[in-house]
PDB file of all heavy atoms in Angstrom:
ATOM      1  N   THR A 193     -37.901 -21.845  15.775  1.00 85.00           N
ATOM      2  CA  THR A 193     -38.336 -22.610  16.935  1.00 85.00           C
ATOM      3  C   THR A 193     -38.268 -24.109  16.641  1.00 85.00           C
ATOM      4  O   THR A 193     -38.252 -24.518  15.490  1.00 85.00           O
ATOM      5  CB  THR A 193     -39.790 -22.227  17.326  1.00 85.00           C
ATOM      6  OG1 THR A 193     -40.148 -22.938  18.496  1.00 85.00           O
ATOM      7  CG2 THR A 193     -40.784 -22.524  16.230  1.00 85.00           C
ATOM      8  N   TYR A 195     -40.395 -25.795  18.733  1.00 80.00           N
ATOM      9  CA  TYR A 195     -41.732 -26.127  19.242  1.00 80.00           C
ATOM     10  C   TYR A 195     -42.683 -26.173  18.052  1.00 80.00           C
ATOM     11  O   TYR A 195     -42.878 -25.157  17.379  1.00 80.00           O
ATOM     12  CB  TYR A 195     -42.222 -25.066  20.234  1.00 80.00           C
ATOM     13  CG  TYR A 195     -41.395 -24.970  21.489  1.00 80.00           C
ATOM     14  CD1 TYR A 195     -41.063 -23.734  22.024  1.00 80.00           C
ATOM     15  CD2 TYR A 195     -40.956 -26.116  22.154  1.00 80.00           C
ATOM     16  CE1 TYR A 195     -40.317 -23.635  23.182  1.00 80.00           C
ATOM     17  CE2 TYR A 195     -40.204 -26.017  23.307  1.00 80.00           C
ATOM     18  CZ  TYR A 195     -39.880 -24.776  23.820  1.00 80.00           C
ATOM     19  OH  TYR A 195     -39.131 -24.679  24.952  1.00 80.00           O
ATOM     20  N   MET A 196     -43.279 -27.314  17.803  1.00 77.00           N
ATOM     21  CA  MET A 196     -44.083 -27.491  16.599  1.00 77.00           C
ATOM     22  C   MET A 196     -45.381 -26.686  16.623  1.00 77.00           C
ATOM     23  O   MET A 196     -45.915 -26.343  15.584  1.00 77.00           O
ATOM     24  CB  MET A 196     -44.415 -28.978  16.409  1.00 77.00           C
ATOM     25  CG  MET A 196     -43.193 -29.851  16.364  1.00 77.00           C
ATOM     26  SD  MET A 196     -42.292 -29.597  14.833  1.00 77.00           S
ATOM     27  CE  MET A 196     -40.768 -30.427  15.188  1.00 77.00           C
ATOM     28  N   THR A 197     -45.868 -26.398  17.826  1.00 80.00           N
ATOM     29  CA  THR A 197     -47.175 -25.730  17.887  1.00 80.00           C
ATOM     30  C   THR A 197     -47.080 -24.230  17.615  1.00 80.00           C
ATOM     31  O   THR A 197     -48.030 -23.631  17.127  1.00 80.00           O
ATOM     32  CB  THR A 197     -47.803 -25.934  19.272  1.00 80.00           C
ATOM     33  OG1 THR A 197     -46.813 -25.613  20.248  1.00 80.00           O
ATOM     34  CG2 THR A 197     -48.263 -27.364  19.468  1.00 80.00           C
ATOM     35  N   GLU A 198     -45.929 -23.652  17.931  1.00 82.00           N
ATOM     36  CA  GLU A 198     -45.799 -22.191  17.841  1.00 82.00           C
ATOM     37  C   GLU A 198     -46.069 -21.615  16.448  1.00 82.00           C
ATOM     38  O   GLU A 198     -46.914 -20.723  16.299  1.00 82.00           O
ATOM     39  CB  GLU A 198     -44.407 -21.774  18.294  1.00 82.00           C
ATOM     40  CG  GLU A 198     -44.422 -21.161  19.642  1.00 82.00           C
ATOM     41  CD  GLU A 198     -43.054 -20.751  20.129  1.00 82.00           C
ATOM     42  OE1 GLU A 198     -42.086 -20.773  19.346  1.00 82.00           O
ATOM     43  OE2 GLU A 198     -42.967 -20.405  21.299  1.00 82.00           O
ATOM     44  N   PRO A 199     -45.394 -22.139  15.410  1.00 82.00           N
ATOM     45  CA  PRO A 199     -45.616 -21.551  14.084  1.00 82.00           C
ATOM     46  C   PRO A 199     -47.058 -21.686  13.632  1.00 82.00           C
ATOM     47  O   PRO A 199     -47.592 -20.818  12.944  1.00 82.00           O
ATOM     48  CB  PRO A 199     -44.699 -22.372  13.172  1.00 82.00           C
ATOM     49  CG  PRO A 199     -43.785 -23.097  14.052  1.00 82.00           C
ATOM     50  CD  PRO A 199     -44.436 -23.235  15.371  1.00 82.00           C
ATOM     51  N   GLU A 200     -47.682 -22.774  14.070  1.00 81.00           N
ATOM     52  CA  GLU A 200     -49.073 -23.014  13.699  1.00 81.00           C
ATOM     53  C   GLU A 200     -49.965 -21.890  14.218  1.00 81.00           C
ATOM     54  O   GLU A 200     -50.908 -21.470  13.579  1.00 81.00           O
ATOM     55  CB  GLU A 200     -49.512 -24.351  14.301  1.00 81.00           C
ATOM     56  CG  GLU A 200     -50.597 -25.009  13.524  1.00 81.00           C
ATOM     57  CD  GLU A 200     -50.658 -26.507  13.790  1.00 81.00           C
ATOM     58  OE1 GLU A 200     -50.001 -26.988  14.721  1.00 81.00           O
ATOM     59  OE2 GLU A 200     -51.373 -27.175  13.039  1.00 81.00           O
ATOM     60  N   ILE A 201     -49.610 -21.402  15.413  1.00 83.00           N
ATOM     61  CA  ILE A 201     -50.438 -20.363  16.040  1.00 83.00           C
ATOM     62  C   ILE A 201     -50.196 -19.005  15.411  1.00 83.00           C
ATOM     63  O   ILE A 201     -51.126 -18.259  15.129  1.00 83.00           O
ATOM     64  CB  ILE A 201     -50.138 -20.271  17.558  1.00 83.00           C
ATOM     65  CG1 ILE A 201     -50.335 -21.625  18.228  1.00 83.00           C
ATOM     66  CG2 ILE A 201     -50.996 -19.223  18.231  1.00 83.00           C
ATOM     67  CD1 ILE A 201     -49.777 -21.685  19.643  1.00 83.00           C
ATOM     68  N   ILE A 202     -48.922 -18.637  15.191  1.00 88.00           N
ATOM     69  CA  ILE A 202     -48.677 -17.227  14.839  1.00 88.00           C
ATOM     70  C   ILE A 202     -48.114 -16.957  13.446  1.00 88.00           C
ATOM     71  O   ILE A 202     -48.232 -15.838  12.960  1.00 88.00           O
ATOM     72  CB  ILE A 202     -47.733 -16.545  15.860  1.00 88.00           C
ATOM     73  CG1 ILE A 202     -46.425 -17.325  15.979  1.00 88.00           C
ATOM     74  CG2 ILE A 202     -48.384 -16.347  17.190  1.00 88.00           C
ATOM     75  CD1 ILE A 202     -45.313 -16.432  16.487  1.00 88.00           C
ATOM     76  N   CYS A 203     -47.481 -17.946  12.836  1.00 90.00           N
ATOM     77  CA  CYS A 203     -46.733 -17.604  11.620  1.00 90.00           C
ATOM     78  C   CYS A 203     -47.609 -17.508  10.376  1.00 90.00           C
ATOM     79  O   CYS A 203     -48.551 -18.283  10.200  1.00 90.00           O
ATOM     80  CB  CYS A 203     -45.637 -18.632  11.386  1.00 90.00           C
ATOM     81  SG  CYS A 203     -44.379 -18.549  12.645  1.00 90.00           S
ATOM     82  N   VAL A 206     -44.371 -20.854   7.092  1.00 91.00           N
ATOM     83  CA  VAL A 206     -43.427 -21.659   7.848  1.00 91.00           C
ATOM     84  C   VAL A 206     -42.489 -22.363   6.864  1.00 91.00           C
ATOM     85  O   VAL A 206     -42.931 -22.876   5.836  1.00 91.00           O
ATOM     86  CB  VAL A 206     -44.168 -22.724   8.694  1.00 91.00           C
ATOM     87  CG1 VAL A 206     -43.168 -23.625   9.420  1.00 91.00           C
ATOM     88  CG2 VAL A 206     -45.097 -22.069   9.698  1.00 91.00           C
ATOM     89  N   PRO A 220     -49.090 -22.669   7.496  1.00 83.00           N
ATOM     90  CA  PRO A 220     -49.257 -23.890   8.299  1.00 83.00           C
ATOM     91  C   PRO A 220     -50.312 -24.815   7.697  1.00 83.00           C
ATOM     92  O   PRO A 220     -50.141 -26.038   7.663  1.00 83.00           O
ATOM     93  CB  PRO A 220     -49.682 -23.359   9.657  1.00 83.00           C
ATOM     94  CG  PRO A 220     -49.071 -22.001   9.731  1.00 83.00           C
ATOM     95  CD  PRO A 220     -49.110 -21.465   8.340  1.00 83.00           C
TER      96      PRO A 220
END
Side-chain angles (χ1 to χ4, degrees):
Chain A
T193 183
Y195 296 138
M196 304 289 168
T197 49
E198 255 179 10
E200 207 158 11
I201 304 168
I202 56 157
C203 293
V206 176

